[in-house]
Amino acid sequence: MITQEQYRTRVKELLSSGTVKMVIGYKPGSTPDRRRPLFIRTAEEANRLVLDSACITNLSGYLVTEGLLSDEKKVAIFLRPEGIRSINILAAESQLNADQIIILGFDSTGSVVKTLDGTHAGDFSELLGSIKQNSPVKPSEVLFEQVEQMTPAERFAFWQEEFSRCIKCYACRQACPMCYCRRCIVDSNQPQWVNTSSHTLGNFEWNIVRAFHLAGRCVECGNCGRACPVNIPLRLINRRMAQEVIEAFDHFPGLNQTQEPVLASFKKDDSETFIL
Amino acid sequence: MTKILFTDKLHNCVEKWQSAGLTVIGPVQKANSSSYATVKNAGELDFNMVLPDRSIKELFFPQTEPILHYSIKKQEINTRESLPPNEPRIIFGARACDASGLAIDDPLFGWDYKDEYWFQRRNESVIVTIACTKADDFCMCTSLTLAPDSTKGSDVLLRPLENNKGWQVEELTERGREAFAKIADFLQESSEPAAPLAVVEEKFDLDSCVAWLKNPENFDSKFWKEISMRCIGCASCTFLCPTCHCFDIQDEGDTYSGIRRKNWDSCSFSLFTMHTSGHNPRSTQSARWRQRIMHKFNYFPGKFSVNSCSGCGRCSRQCPVDMGITETLQEISKLSQ
Ligand code: SF4
Ligand code: SF4
Ligand code: SF4
Ligand code: SF4
Ligand code: SF4
């Protein structure tokens, strides 16, 4: 609870001094285990903020919605390490100016919350570097292992079954900080690249598009999987893609703001004879 | 004495209905997600969940449905309408909110144009609702003038017995009576008492909310922006909602042949109102959220004299950012006091 108090005090300072125009954090939700995103503009509202281990949503996506940062004013935001990585990627992809973002960093182990030292994305590079070092080569999840062990045909059947439930609500896309495109490729109809229908083929198309467009950009914050109303285990796809990218390119997204996007960079001396 | 269907006879009933040509559908829990799905036998039905994650709507108005096949040759254009195959079915174990949702949408689908897809399935389906004996934090039928044992939209209402060994049977419509006549051999007269219904507290005062929404001054209230700041504009709430009914018509294929389909659409998407010019009359998420609330509790009742919400709670239960109809109407209740 010390952490929550520390942060409330800090938020009050930031708002009353006019350093930031808004703070994005968490407040209690509709059930004891739920937390909701909270946007506050005055110091008086700071006491509405909660900070505990149930604050899991990666809030960074709100920074790039509806021109929030277009007035060049600063915004403070509560972020876990994955959220800080998102800021770095958004900055590297020219979606925001990281100087405008004051980070209230935190992390948790069990129910214990700890603050992270630093205020700007650049201050956390050491921490992020060590996360890269310690990132698991293989996750401990049983289901992931099971899917890995499957034959291609079995794996196809597994995903066919999972994707058959998809209703194309695009909650996974909307919840993802990296899905900021003003016109998503699946919404484009001149030409219509991807069928809009939510039949098995259309669902496959969407989920494969999502997997590819997030490869090397996903920070595994879990927003997409938690958002999915039919509980498709999207984290398995994210994990697999993250693993591919680190194995093939030693690329761990979101380390800093100058990291080149792995699927959008090109080297003349690339050993491959083609690019995708 | 009441007519009772004992749980241990359900296997026989399902077989009987199936041999009479009915597809049997009911709540099924599968792969971490639940829905109303076709079952082969009674064992697949799950009566323990509060309600399925996905609503009954998709059985009548599927997320995607072919309506026309076309082919274009040099001198001729051929089109073939595609209606759903005839499939008489019984939906066993609907929830009162889901069944009510269908009844709420009937006038909509039959208003200026009679939607054959909807009504063919409506006419072919017997809806057997089980009154709820448990509810969760999100259930709010009672706030919408409904109840865990509402009969609206149902052909038969079953009340679970206190000893959990079966259901009291109340046949409500001719279609319901016919379906239950087929299983008459497996029904028994008995005086077993029904279990108490789920207690669902009223969450807001609907009348004052509706009055607030009807006041034109509130259309531009700053309330809309505040309440919907965190909405991420997905379609989870509209697609899971038993009464949301918007769809888009899309052609799949090419200039020479293809399929015209009817696909779910949602006013939460910015694309929903995007004009070809690029102008979007609902350019912000708050305008889109206002539309959802206004449509359900102002425009729809203005036209059909019923709110477009049955209180199933799915929009709040599943919302990725813990929003939903409930919170918004609770806040409006407060504003209008
Ligand atoms: S794809 Fe999912 S896990 Fe990855 S960054 Fe986006 S929301 Fe987070
Ligand atoms: S959130 Fe789930 S159901 Fe919705 S589009 Fe994504 S995968 Fe499909
Ligand atoms: S209210 Fe929730 S479920 Fe509905 S569009 Fe907004 S974020 Fe999605
Ligand atoms: S608006 Fe929400 S509570 Fe009402 S019927 Fe739709 S999903 Fe259920
Ligand atoms: S609330 Fe929106 S999606 Fe639902 S029926 Fe109304 S306009 Fe359509």
Side-chain angles (χ1 to χ4, degrees), chain B residues 13-37:
Chain B
C13 299
V14 167
E15 280 168 19
K16 191 81 190 177
W17 282 320
Q18 284 167 334
S19 59
L22 289 167
T23 300
V24 180
I25 298 173
V28 171
Q29 177 75 45
K30 207 166 138 195
N32 213 10
S33 178
S34 52
S35 63
Y36 293 99

PDB file of all heavy atoms in Angstrom, chain B residues 13-37:
ATOM      1  N   CYS B  13     -35.868 -37.967 -23.293  1.00  0.00           N
ATOM      2  CA  CYS B  13     -36.554 -36.854 -23.969  1.00  0.00           C
ATOM      3  C   CYS B  13     -35.744 -36.387 -25.175  1.00  0.00           C
ATOM      4  O   CYS B  13     -36.288 -36.191 -26.265  1.00  0.00           O
ATOM      5  CB  CYS B  13     -36.760 -35.686 -23.014  1.00  0.00           C
ATOM      6  SG  CYS B  13     -37.781 -36.103 -21.607  1.00  0.00           S
ATOM      7  N   VAL B  14     -34.431 -36.220 -24.962  1.00  0.00           N
ATOM      8  CA  VAL B  14     -33.580 -35.750 -26.060  1.00  0.00           C
ATOM      9  C   VAL B  14     -33.651 -36.735 -27.234  1.00  0.00           C
ATOM     10  O   VAL B  14     -33.837 -36.341 -28.386  1.00  0.00           O
ATOM     11  CB  VAL B  14     -32.123 -35.545 -25.564  1.00  0.00           C
ATOM     12  CG1 VAL B  14     -31.163 -35.359 -26.729  1.00  0.00           C
ATOM     13  CG2 VAL B  14     -32.047 -34.348 -24.619  1.00  0.00           C
ATOM     14  N   GLU B  15     -33.578 -38.031 -26.910  1.00  0.00           N
ATOM     15  CA  GLU B  15     -33.666 -39.040 -27.981  1.00  0.00           C
ATOM     16  C   GLU B  15     -35.000 -38.964 -28.703  1.00  0.00           C
ATOM     17  O   GLU B  15     -35.082 -39.059 -29.922  1.00  0.00           O
ATOM     18  CB  GLU B  15     -33.489 -40.444 -27.396  1.00  0.00           C
ATOM     19  CG  GLU B  15     -32.029 -40.782 -27.163  1.00  0.00           C
ATOM     20  CD  GLU B  15     -31.855 -42.046 -26.310  1.00  0.00           C
ATOM     21  OE1 GLU B  15     -32.827 -42.841 -26.214  1.00  0.00           O
ATOM     22  OE2 GLU B  15     -30.756 -42.200 -25.742  1.00  0.00           O
ATOM     23  N   LYS B  16     -36.048 -38.810 -27.907  1.00  0.00           N
ATOM     24  CA  LYS B  16     -37.397 -38.748 -28.473  1.00  0.00           C
ATOM     25  C   LYS B  16     -37.532 -37.550 -29.421  1.00  0.00           C
ATOM     26  O   LYS B  16     -38.037 -37.686 -30.534  1.00  0.00           O
ATOM     27  CB  LYS B  16     -38.388 -38.616 -27.304  1.00  0.00           C
ATOM     28  CG  LYS B  16     -39.818 -38.797 -27.676  1.00  0.00           C
ATOM     29  CD  LYS B  16     -40.163 -40.270 -27.771  1.00  0.00           C
ATOM     30  CE  LYS B  16     -41.544 -40.409 -28.397  1.00  0.00           C
ATOM     31  NZ  LYS B  16     -41.911 -41.800 -28.577  1.00  0.00           N
ATOM     32  N   TRP B  17     -37.071 -36.415 -28.956  1.00  0.00           N
ATOM     33  CA  TRP B  17     -37.150 -35.222 -29.811  1.00  0.00           C
ATOM     34  C   TRP B  17     -36.334 -35.414 -31.075  1.00  0.00           C
ATOM     35  O   TRP B  17     -36.752 -35.067 -32.170  1.00  0.00           O
ATOM     36  CB  TRP B  17     -36.651 -33.977 -29.049  1.00  0.00           C
ATOM     37  CG  TRP B  17     -37.661 -33.423 -28.090  1.00  0.00           C
ATOM     38  CD1 TRP B  17     -39.003 -33.315 -28.280  1.00  0.00           C
ATOM     39  CD2 TRP B  17     -37.391 -32.876 -26.781  1.00  0.00           C
ATOM     40  NE1 TRP B  17     -39.601 -32.740 -27.178  1.00  0.00           N
ATOM     41  CE2 TRP B  17     -38.640 -32.458 -26.250  1.00  0.00           C
ATOM     42  CE3 TRP B  17     -36.241 -32.698 -26.020  1.00  0.00           C
ATOM     43  CZ2 TRP B  17     -38.755 -31.871 -24.977  1.00  0.00           C
ATOM     44  CZ3 TRP B  17     -36.349 -32.118 -24.768  1.00  0.00           C
ATOM     45  CH2 TRP B  17     -37.596 -31.713 -24.255  1.00  0.00           C
ATOM     46  N   GLN B  18     -35.152 -35.999 -30.903  1.00  0.00           N
ATOM     47  CA  GLN B  18     -34.294 -36.205 -32.076  1.00  0.00           C
ATOM     48  C   GLN B  18     -34.962 -37.159 -33.065  1.00  0.00           C
ATOM     49  O   GLN B  18     -34.962 -36.910 -34.265  1.00  0.00           O
ATOM     50  CB  GLN B  18     -32.925 -36.750 -31.656  1.00  0.00           C
ATOM     51  CG  GLN B  18     -32.041 -35.652 -31.054  1.00  0.00           C
ATOM     52  CD  GLN B  18     -30.823 -36.192 -30.338  1.00  0.00           C
ATOM     53  OE1 GLN B  18     -30.831 -37.334 -29.863  1.00  0.00           O
ATOM     54  NE2 GLN B  18     -29.783 -35.380 -30.238  1.00  0.00           N
ATOM     55  N   SER B  19     -35.572 -38.229 -32.538  1.00  0.00           N
ATOM     56  CA  SER B  19     -36.193 -39.168 -33.477  1.00  0.00           C
ATOM     57  C   SER B  19     -37.438 -38.561 -34.116  1.00  0.00           C
ATOM     58  O   SER B  19     -37.859 -38.982 -35.184  1.00  0.00           O
ATOM     59  CB  SER B  19     -36.494 -40.513 -32.808  1.00  0.00           C
ATOM     60  OG  SER B  19     -37.355 -40.299 -31.723  1.00  0.00           O
ATOM     61  N   ALA B  20     -37.992 -37.532 -33.473  1.00  0.00           N
ATOM     62  CA  ALA B  20     -39.121 -36.826 -34.100  1.00  0.00           C
ATOM     63  C   ALA B  20     -38.625 -35.749 -35.063  1.00  0.00           C
ATOM     64  O   ALA B  20     -39.412 -34.956 -35.576  1.00  0.00           O
ATOM     65  CB  ALA B  20     -40.003 -36.209 -33.022  1.00  0.00           C
ATOM     66  N   GLY B  21     -37.311 -35.707 -35.294  1.00  0.00           N
ATOM     67  CA  GLY B  21     -36.766 -34.792 -36.302  1.00  0.00           C
ATOM     68  C   GLY B  21     -36.339 -33.435 -35.783  1.00  0.00           C
ATOM     69  O   GLY B  21     -36.062 -32.527 -36.570  1.00  0.00           O
ATOM     70  N   LEU B  22     -36.279 -33.284 -34.472  1.00  0.00           N
ATOM     71  CA  LEU B  22     -35.866 -31.991 -33.919  1.00  0.00           C
ATOM     72  C   LEU B  22     -34.365 -31.996 -33.617  1.00  0.00           C
ATOM     73  O   LEU B  22     -33.838 -32.977 -33.083  1.00  0.00           O
ATOM     74  CB  LEU B  22     -36.608 -31.700 -32.608  1.00  0.00           C
ATOM     75  CG  LEU B  22     -38.093 -31.367 -32.675  1.00  0.00           C
ATOM     76  CD1 LEU B  22     -38.708 -31.430 -31.278  1.00  0.00           C
ATOM     77  CD2 LEU B  22     -38.299 -29.984 -33.265  1.00  0.00           C
ATOM     78  N   THR B  23     -33.703 -30.911 -33.953  1.00  0.00           N
ATOM     79  CA  THR B  23     -32.319 -30.737 -33.522  1.00  0.00           C
ATOM     80  C   THR B  23     -32.376 -30.226 -32.088  1.00  0.00           C
ATOM     81  O   THR B  23     -33.139 -29.312 -31.796  1.00  0.00           O
ATOM     82  CB  THR B  23     -31.627 -29.692 -34.410  1.00  0.00           C
ATOM     83  OG1 THR B  23     -31.671 -30.162 -35.750  1.00  0.00           O
ATOM     84  CG2 THR B  23     -30.188 -29.466 -33.993  1.00  0.00           C
ATOM     85  N   VAL B  24     -31.599 -30.829 -31.215  1.00  0.00           N
ATOM     86  CA  VAL B  24     -31.628 -30.393 -29.820  1.00  0.00           C
ATOM     87  C   VAL B  24     -30.410 -29.511 -29.539  1.00  0.00           C
ATOM     88  O   VAL B  24     -29.270 -29.882 -29.825  1.00  0.00           O
ATOM     89  CB  VAL B  24     -31.673 -31.600 -28.850  1.00  0.00           C
ATOM     90  CG1 VAL B  24     -31.699 -31.130 -27.400  1.00  0.00           C
ATOM     91  CG2 VAL B  24     -32.882 -32.474 -29.153  1.00  0.00           C
ATOM     92  N   ILE B  25     -30.705 -28.345 -29.009  1.00  0.00           N
ATOM     93  CA  ILE B  25     -29.670 -27.334 -28.751  1.00  0.00           C
ATOM     94  C   ILE B  25     -29.763 -26.914 -27.290  1.00  0.00           C
ATOM     95  O   ILE B  25     -30.868 -26.857 -26.740  1.00  0.00           O
ATOM     96  CB  ILE B  25     -29.905 -26.101 -29.669  1.00  0.00           C
ATOM     97  CG1 ILE B  25     -29.797 -26.517 -31.138  1.00  0.00           C
ATOM     98  CG2 ILE B  25     -28.928 -24.969 -29.357  1.00  0.00           C
ATOM     99  CD1 ILE B  25     -30.165 -25.425 -32.123  1.00  0.00           C
ATOM    100  N   GLY B  26     -28.628 -26.634 -26.672  1.00  0.00           N
ATOM    101  CA  GLY B  26     -28.692 -26.170 -25.288  1.00  0.00           C
ATOM    102  C   GLY B  26     -27.358 -25.632 -24.832  1.00  0.00           C
ATOM    103  O   GLY B  26     -26.389 -25.607 -25.608  1.00  0.00           O
ATOM    104  N   PRO B  27     -27.280 -25.187 -23.583  1.00  0.00           N
ATOM    105  CA  PRO B  27     -26.030 -24.622 -23.075  1.00  0.00           C
ATOM    106  C   PRO B  27     -24.918 -25.671 -22.993  1.00  0.00           C
ATOM    107  O   PRO B  27     -25.105 -26.730 -22.406  1.00  0.00           O
ATOM    108  CB  PRO B  27     -26.398 -24.112 -21.669  1.00  0.00           C
ATOM    109  CG  PRO B  27     -27.694 -24.768 -21.319  1.00  0.00           C
ATOM    110  CD  PRO B  27     -28.376 -25.135 -22.595  1.00  0.00           C
ATOM    111  N   VAL B  28     -23.795 -25.355 -23.623  1.00  0.00           N
ATOM    112  CA  VAL B  28     -22.668 -26.295 -23.656  1.00  0.00           C
ATOM    113  C   VAL B  28     -21.400 -25.530 -23.285  1.00  0.00           C
ATOM    114  O   VAL B  28     -21.171 -24.419 -23.758  1.00  0.00           O
ATOM    115  CB  VAL B  28     -22.514 -26.910 -25.076  1.00  0.00           C
ATOM    116  CG1 VAL B  28     -21.233 -27.713 -25.181  1.00  0.00           C
ATOM    117  CG2 VAL B  28     -23.711 -27.791 -25.416  1.00  0.00           C
ATOM    118  N   GLN B  29     -20.616 -26.133 -22.420  1.00  0.00           N
ATOM    119  CA  GLN B  29     -19.337 -25.543 -22.037  1.00  0.00           C
ATOM    120  C   GLN B  29     -18.253 -26.274 -22.803  1.00  0.00           C
ATOM    121  O   GLN B  29     -18.145 -27.496 -22.732  1.00  0.00           O
ATOM    122  CB  GLN B  29     -19.126 -25.704 -20.532  1.00  0.00           C
ATOM    123  CG  GLN B  29     -17.803 -25.201 -19.995  1.00  0.00           C
ATOM    124  CD  GLN B  29     -17.754 -23.676 -19.912  1.00  0.00           C
ATOM    125  OE1 GLN B  29     -18.696 -23.053 -19.450  1.00  0.00           O
ATOM    126  NE2 GLN B  29     -16.658 -23.097 -20.383  1.00  0.00           N
ATOM    127  N   LYS B  30     -17.464 -25.535 -23.561  1.00  0.00           N
ATOM    128  CA  LYS B  30     -16.460 -26.199 -24.390  1.00  0.00           C
ATOM    129  C   LYS B  30     -15.236 -25.298 -24.478  1.00  0.00           C
ATOM    130  O   LYS B  30     -15.365 -24.091 -24.668  1.00  0.00           O
ATOM    131  CB  LYS B  30     -17.039 -26.417 -25.788  1.00  0.00           C
ATOM    132  CG  LYS B  30     -16.464 -27.586 -26.539  1.00  0.00           C
ATOM    133  CD  LYS B  30     -17.378 -27.871 -27.720  1.00  0.00           C
ATOM    134  CE  LYS B  30     -16.617 -28.184 -28.987  1.00  0.00           C
ATOM    135  NZ  LYS B  30     -17.469 -28.098 -30.165  1.00  0.00           N
ATOM    136  N   ALA B  31     -14.067 -25.890 -24.370  1.00  0.00           N
ATOM    137  CA  ALA B  31     -12.807 -25.145 -24.555  1.00  0.00           C
ATOM    138  C   ALA B  31     -12.844 -23.771 -23.903  1.00  0.00           C
ATOM    139  O   ALA B  31     -12.597 -22.769 -24.545  1.00  0.00           O
ATOM    140  CB  ALA B  31     -12.477 -25.022 -26.039  1.00  0.00           C
ATOM    141  N   ASN B  32     -13.191 -23.723 -22.633  1.00  0.00           N
ATOM    142  CA  ASN B  32     -13.075 -22.464 -21.912  1.00  0.00           C
ATOM    143  C   ASN B  32     -14.059 -21.382 -22.366  1.00  0.00           C
ATOM    144  O   ASN B  32     -13.848 -20.209 -22.133  1.00  0.00           O
ATOM    145  CB  ASN B  32     -11.637 -21.932 -22.068  1.00  0.00           C
ATOM    146  CG  ASN B  32     -11.203 -21.184 -20.838  1.00  0.00           C
ATOM    147  OD1 ASN B  32     -11.894 -21.229 -19.826  1.00  0.00           O
ATOM    148  ND2 ASN B  32     -10.098 -20.486 -20.930  1.00  0.00           N
ATOM    149  N   SER B  33     -15.102 -21.792 -23.061  1.00  0.00           N
ATOM    150  CA  SER B  33     -16.079 -20.813 -23.523  1.00  0.00           C
ATOM    151  C   SER B  33     -17.414 -21.542 -23.671  1.00  0.00           C
ATOM    152  O   SER B  33     -17.440 -22.724 -23.998  1.00  0.00           O
ATOM    153  CB  SER B  33     -15.621 -20.249 -24.861  1.00  0.00           C
ATOM    154  OG  SER B  33     -16.567 -19.346 -25.351  1.00  0.00           O
ATOM    155  N   SER B  34     -18.511 -20.839 -23.409  1.00  0.00           N
ATOM    156  CA  SER B  34     -19.792 -21.523 -23.464  1.00  0.00           C
ATOM    157  C   SER B  34     -20.741 -20.850 -24.437  1.00  0.00           C
ATOM    158  O   SER B  34     -20.640 -19.656 -24.706  1.00  0.00           O
ATOM    159  CB  SER B  34     -20.413 -21.572 -22.068  1.00  0.00           C
ATOM    160  OG  SER B  34     -20.454 -20.278 -21.505  1.00  0.00           O
ATOM    161  N   SER B  35     -21.653 -21.649 -24.973  1.00  0.00           N
ATOM    162  CA  SER B  35     -22.624 -21.126 -25.940  1.00  0.00           C
ATOM    163  C   SER B  35     -23.811 -22.080 -25.995  1.00  0.00           C
ATOM    164  O   SER B  35     -23.798 -23.134 -25.368  1.00  0.00           O
ATOM    165  CB  SER B  35     -21.976 -21.016 -27.320  1.00  0.00           C
ATOM    166  OG  SER B  35     -21.610 -22.301 -27.774  1.00  0.00           O
ATOM    167  N   TYR B  36     -24.828 -21.693 -26.735  1.00  0.00           N
ATOM    168  CA  TYR B  36     -25.927 -22.611 -27.039  1.00  0.00           C
ATOM    169  C   TYR B  36     -25.495 -23.406 -28.259  1.00  0.00           C
ATOM    170  O   TYR B  36     -25.279 -22.831 -29.324  1.00  0.00           O
ATOM    171  CB  TYR B  36     -27.206 -21.850 -27.359  1.00  0.00           C
ATOM    172  CG  TYR B  36     -27.790 -21.097 -26.179  1.00  0.00           C
ATOM    173  CD1 TYR B  36     -27.573 -19.729 -26.017  1.00  0.00           C
ATOM    174  CD2 TYR B  36     -28.583 -21.756 -25.230  1.00  0.00           C
ATOM    175  CE1 TYR B  36     -28.125 -19.037 -24.938  1.00  0.00           C
ATOM    176  CE2 TYR B  36     -29.130 -21.069 -24.150  1.00  0.00           C
ATOM    177  CZ  TYR B  36     -28.898 -19.708 -24.010  1.00  0.00           C
ATOM    178  OH  TYR B  36     -29.444 -19.026 -22.952  1.00  0.00           O
ATOM    179  N   ALA B  37     -25.346 -24.713 -28.096  1.00  0.00           N
ATOM    180  CA  ALA B  37     -24.833 -25.511 -29.204  1.00  0.00           C
ATOM    181  C   ALA B  37     -25.648 -26.781 -29.367  1.00  0.00           C
ATOM    182  O   ALA B  37     -26.300 -27.250 -28.425  1.00  0.00           O
ATOM    183  CB  ALA B  37     -23.365 -25.852 -28.958  1.00  0.00           C
TER     184      ALA B  37
END
